[in-house]
Amino acid sequence: MNVADSLLLIGAGILAGLLGTIAGLASLVSYPALLLVGLAPVTANVTNTVALCANTIGALISTGPELRGRFAALRPRMILAVLGGAVGSGLLLLSPAGSFEHVVPWLIAGASVVLLLRTRITDFAQRSGRRMRTAGAGFLAVIFLISIYGGYFGAAAGVLLLAWLMISTKDSLAFCSAEKNVLLGSANLSAAIGFAISGKVHWLAALLMAIGGLIGSYLGPKLLRRIPQNPTRIAIGIAGLALAVELFIETLQP
């Protein structure tokens, strides 16, 4: 890996950390950067998951006040998230060779659409009346399913989880956002451990992106107050759709 690739990964990590506060946006920046420096799709995905653990650390530090005294109540959901992340990583690692390359364009396209519709999703969540019981099996099952997706790929998982928490609990938006960081961080860490054991992680790329992610996730809450979020979100969503089309065309080539 040359100097230009290294700088690209650090820069992409910073951008992913900055934009990670727009729920679930990080992977739509970091994953394509790993593809751009030449990593194969599966290697890029597992490396991305490991690298983004750094973003989780920054996010948890920034949401510490909302979480103070609440971890005991979150423990059952965290256990589900850990299990879901492990299942998702297992599905990726045990999938037949080449299958991920055919699935990933659809995952990126779906994540990009969710990102573009984020405002409508969260507006619906705020108007929904929060009808679900937080102790109900349905509530926990959805958390588990989103965690599986987070362990398998994860882009825009934050949008889905934040909206679900807002729909189904009476917690404030600030706490729902903090809980989202905890649960997705748990799923991500669980998947990262599995990926690390598998030997498929490109550790230098993960380290470079993690350095950028720590910087970006620390600066993100401050800088994003001054950056227009909607145009940024829309631009990344459109770029994600373009990437999905490009990767889909590549899967059609012999």
Side-chain angles (χ1 to χ4, degrees), residues 42-43 45-50 85-94 150-153 187-203:
V42 171
T43 302
N45 190 43
V46 301
T47 300
N48 183 55
T49 298
V50 172
V87 171
S89 64
L91 288 173
L92 176 65
L93 294 174
L94 296 176
Y152 186 82
F153 186 62
N188 198 53
L189 179 61
S190 174
I193 292 172
F195 293 151
I197 295 173
S198 75
K200 294 182 180 294
V201 178
H202 191 298
W203 288 105

Side-chain angles (χ1 to χ4, degrees), residues 34-239:
L34 291 165
L35 293 178
L36 192 60
V37 299
L39 271 64
V42 171
T43 302
N45 190 43
V46 301
T47 300
N48 183 55
T49 298
V50 172
L52 290 184
C53 287
N55 291 19
T56 300
I57 294 172
L60 291 178
I61 292 173
S62 68
T63 54
E66 287 80 12
L67 296 170
R68 191 171 294 116
R70 303 292 295 273
F71 274 103
L74 291 180
R75 191 172 295 121
R77 304 175 195 179
M78 291 172 65
I79 293 173
L80 276 178
V82 167
L83 293 174
V87 171
S89 64
L91 288 173
L92 176 65
L93 294 174
L94 296 176
S95 297
S99 61
F100 181 74
E101 286 86 339
H102 289 84
V103 172
V104 74
W106 301 99
L107 294 176
I108 292 178
S112 300
V113 170
V114 170
L115 187 62
L116 290 170
L117 297 178
R118 177 178 179 266
T119 301
R120 294 187 179 184
I121 292 171
T122 52
D123 285 348
F124 170 77
Q126 290 175 323
R127 297 193 306 266
S128 66
R130 299 176 172 92
R131 295 181 293 273
M132 293 288 295
R133 290 173 54 247
T134 59
F139 169 79
L140 297 175
V142 172
I143 288 179
F144 182 63
L145 291 173
I146 294 175
S147 299
I148 291 175
Y149 170 67
Y152 186 82
F153 186 62
V159 175
L160 299 174
L161 184 55
L162 179 61
W164 180 244
L165 293 172
M166 291 168 61
I167 290 170
S168 54
T169 76
K170 295 182 180 180
D171 295 321
S172 66
L173 174 60
F175 181 74
C176 285
S177 180
E179 181 177 354
K180 176 264 300 178
N181 292 335
V182 171
L183 297 182
L184 284 186
S186 299
N188 198 53
L189 179 61
S190 174
I193 292 172
F195 293 151
I197 295 173
S198 75
K200 294 182 180 294
V201 178
H202 191 298
W203 288 105
L204 177 58
L207 175 62
L208 292 170
M209 188 158 284
I211 291 171
L214 280 173
I215 297 171
S217 61
Y218 175 76
L219 297 176
K222 300 177 181 179
L223 294 182
L224 283 177
R225 296 188 186 103
R226 300 177 175 85
I227 296 175
Q229 294 191 13
N230 282 338
T232 302
R233 172 177 55 81
I234 292 170
I236 297 296
I238 293 173

